[in-house]
Amino acid sequence: MRLPALLFVPAAVAVALLVLPVVGLLSRTDLRRLPELVSSPAAVDALWLSVRTSATATGLCLVVGVPLAVVLARGRLPGLRLLRATVLLPLVLPPVVGGLALLYLLGRNGFGGRLLEAALGIRLPFTTVAVVLAQTFVAMPFLVIGLEGALRTAGARYEAVAATLGARPFVVFRRVTVPLLLPSIGSGLVLTFARALGEFGATITFAGNFPGTTQTLPLLAYQLAQSDVDSSVAVSLLLVALALLVITLVRPRVIEGSP
Amino acid sequence: MTRLTLSVVLAVMMAAGCGSSPRQGADTVTVLAAASLTAAFDDMKTQFEKSHPGVTVKITYDGSAVLAQQIINGASADVFASADQATMSKVVAAGLTDSVPQVFARNRLEIVVWPTNPKNVVRLADLARPGVVVVTCAESVPCGAAIKKIEQSSRIAVHPVSQETAVTGVLSKVETGEADAGVVYVTDVNSAGGRVLGIPFPEADMAVNDYPIAVLKNTRRSTAAAQFVDFVQGVFGRQALDRVGFQTP
């Protein structure tokens, strides 16, 4: 297919808008000091914590988000429209407010938090688990909404045929729905991971900021920006590099690799 | 259709562009001030505009470091009031001040707890007690640098569960009850009203923050800017600062 030439102008504007700020970031970086700045113990700790928590959050989104997307797209439940709107909430809420919401639910004085403490002796705020929860909260819609759209576009014909051939509901889900969805799940997971990686507001509100436990890369970048902008820029570049690595390495394979 | 879409897009962009460019009158003094000065400077703005007819004061509040960064990157402003000397020094070092910075206020730390003080915190050493969940500022922000200094001179080691990047972070953790105690400035305790209780501690004398103010180099309203700086240091300015808990020189 030949693309209409007119598309290239706005596309170039979009690319400029997306890429030039990163160029700006690069232009402010002292490249000679970069290795030293990004290999500081604080940066390495934050990087490692970011990777671990974002991966866990992405896994959590996969386990509960895929079923939710299927329910939203295929289910016939009352109040489904309301549910769909609720799923969008974390996208609209400022992350700091999302963090407060988590705090009011799972904090020491929230009813969920009291329950956890009384039943299991667990306190979530200021722990790495809180970081994962905050990331899952803000990142989940990216997976669910993408998958739901893909399910609707694909239609339910294959599933209906499988059912008429005698497949039980779970077999249909496992052998038909999931394989059809795989490319969308892949791209959804990349988006989810990227969003979790960049998460800042909900994390700092719900989990606080402590090196090694809750200080992820974005939190470290923000903290450094208060005093030492050069280090902050360096750490931000680390974040950019990590995100690019994940997106370029994983994305083409899962999306373009399968039909 | 495409032409229509394009012209709509252009029109919207132009409107947005025009709307966002600051249109400042001839007599608008733009002040960049540390967030902790909000209440006091809002007060002064009202009074200053009353006593200087025709002059409008526009104040932007943010973290001192953020504001200094904006000035260094070319933000157009007339006056800068910082929450510590170190941050002001950066602006001075960049050659962007027009007057010698003058200290107009001092702020000291206070322990902050829930209004009922459930853990019965009365002195700094109580923050080192096991079982007391403490939140402080990170060392890279002024309130964190101050507590670090106090820890070193008093030999009391506080082990915070979180190092917040702003005093507001510490306050909200105490207000919501997540932390039993925090360390913030007196003025922050006052601005939080009855939602928290402030506990003064003598070691706070070891790290008192000086707030300097200066007219900026590229000001086009040097007279009005200098008048505002004088006003901050004058009788009314001091009263406004005293009211929220600052000490004035």
Side-chain angles (χ1 to χ4, degrees):
Chain A
M1 184 188 108
R2 217 175 128 242
L3 289 177
L6 193 65
L7 287 186
F8 285 97
V9 179
V13 173
V15 168
L17 204 58
L18 294 174
V19 173
L20 288 183
V22 182
V23 174
L25 202 60
L26 276 171
S27 73
R28 281 294 298 272
T29 316
D30 185 350
L31 288 172
R32 274 161 306 174
R33 270 188 73 205
L34 191 63
E36 168 208 338
L37 290 176
V38 298
S39 62
S40 72
V44 173
D45 280 356
L47 172 70
W48 177 225
L49 184 71
S50 270
V51 171
R52 274 189 304 153
T53 53
S54 305
T56 315
T58 309
L60 214 59
C61 288
L62 176 71
V63 173
V64 297
V66 175
L68 174 59
V70 176
V71 168
L72 284 180
R74 299 277 194 263
R76 287 192 208 92
L77 302 169
L80 212 56
R81 289 176 71 172
L82 188 70
L83 190 65
R84 203 170 285 133
T86 318
V87 172
L88 279 170
L89 261 186
L91 283 183
V92 189
L93 276 184
V96 174
V97 179
L100 271 181
L102 286 169
L103 208 51
Y104 289 148
L105 172 68
L106 297 169
R108 211 198 261 183
N109 294 314
F111 62 87
R114 282 193 187 156
L115 204 68
L116 277 179
E117 191 159 357
L120 305 165
I122 298 175
R123 258 189 217 168
L124 287 178
F126 309 123
T127 64
T128 308
V129 178
V131 177
V132 173
L133 280 178
Q135 289 172 339
T136 310
F137 178 78
V138 296
M140 179 100 70
F142 286 84
L143 183 67
V144 174
I145 290 161
L147 283 187
E148 197 206 340
L151 277 167
R152 288 177 182 281
T153 316
R157 276 174 304 153
Y158 292 110
E159 288 156 20
V161 169
T164 57
L165 294 176
R168 288 160 180 278
F170 190 74
V171 174
V172 176
F173 172 73
R174 194 169 56 86
R175 304 282 299 268
V176 180
T177 313
V178 171
L180 275 176
L181 268 186
L182 269 184
S184 313
I185 292 178
S187 62
L189 285 182
V190 172
L191 266 184
T192 307
F193 184 79
R195 179 63 188 90
L197 200 59
E199 214 308 297
F200 171 76
T203 310
I204 202 163
T205 313
F206 181 46
N209 175 43
F210 196 83
T213 335
T214 60
Q215 188 179 69
T216 54
L217 268 183
L219 268 62
L220 177 65
Y222 183 72
Q223 181 184 318
L224 289 172
Q226 309 292 318
S227 56
D228 178 4
V229 181
D230 284 348
S231 308
S232 178
V233 170
V235 169
S236 311
L237 279 180
L238 202 58
L239 200 60
V240 171
L242 185 61
L244 279 180
L245 191 77
V246 170
I247 292 169
T248 50
L249 279 188
V250 184
R251 205 179 145 106
R253 272 182 226 166
V254 290
I255 297 175
E256 292 144 22
S258 39
Chain B
M1 182 59 203
T2 43
R3 195 178 295 169
L4 181 70
T5 323
L6 207 65
S7 46
V8 167
V9 168
L10 280 178
V12 168
M13 281 170 77
M14 280 160 79
C18 293
S20 64
S21 68
R23 252 180 269 152
Q24 291 164 0
D27 291 320
T28 301
V29 180
T30 306
V31 179
L32 303 183
S36 46
L37 293 166
T38 307
F41 270 36
D42 276 349
D43 237 16
M44 287 186 224
K45 167 189 154 72
T46 316
Q47 195 62 32
F48 184 81
E49 286 174 348
K50 238 184 249 169
S51 57
H52 296 73
V55 182
T56 312
V57 180
K58 206 184 110 217
I59 312 180
T60 303
Y61 301 104
D62 210 324
S64 303
V66 174
L67 294 173
Q69 202 55 37
Q70 288 173 356
I71 295 168
I72 291 167
N73 282 309
S76 75
D78 306 308
V79 175
F80 177 43
S82 161
D84 67 337
Q85 297 273 26
T87 310
M88 179 61 88
S89 313
K90 284 184 192 164
V91 178
V92 174
L96 293 169
T97 46
D98 205 28
S99 66
V100 179
Q102 285 177 313
V103 174
F104 66 97
R106 295 208 162 88
N107 209 354
R108 40 187 290 147
L109 293 176
E110 223 171 61
I111 296 169
V112 65
V113 294
W114 252 71
T116 52
N117 195 1
K119 291 283 163 97
N120 195 25
V121 172
V122 291
R123 59 176 96 74
L124 184 65
D126 289 339
L127 299 189
R129 244 171 30 201
V132 179
V133 180
V134 181
V135 173
T136 61
C137 287
E139 214 182 315
S140 53
V141 288
C143 55
I147 185 72
K148 191 86 203 162
K149 208 162 140 191
I150 290 172
E151 278 185 77
Q152 278 162 358
S153 1
S154 68
R155 307 231 174 145
I156 294 172
V158 176
H159 299 289
V161 291
S162 179
Q163 300 171 347
E164 300 290 325
T165 46
V167 276
T168 44
V170 178
L171 270 181
S172 76
K173 298 289 190 297
V174 174
E175 271 179 38
T176 54
E178 287 321 313
D180 297 315
V183 182
V184 297
Y185 290 110
V186 178
T187 53
D188 303 313
V189 178
N190 290 344
S191 65
R195 284 167 296 169
V196 291
L197 176 70
I199 300 164
F201 60 103
E203 293 90 342
D205 287 341
M206 298 168 185
V208 176
N209 258 51
D210 288 338
Y211 281 57
I213 190 167
V215 175
L216 294 172
K217 186 118 210 158
N218 300 320
T219 179
R220 271 167 289 166
R221 297 154 196 96
S222 47
T223 318
Q227 279 171 349
F228 184 77
V229 170
D230 285 344
F231 185 80
V232 169
Q233 295 172 290
V235 178
F236 188 86
R238 284 183 197 199
Q239 280 172 357
L241 289 161
D242 282 341
R243 258 199 296 278
V244 291
F246 283 105
Q247 294 167 315
T248 44

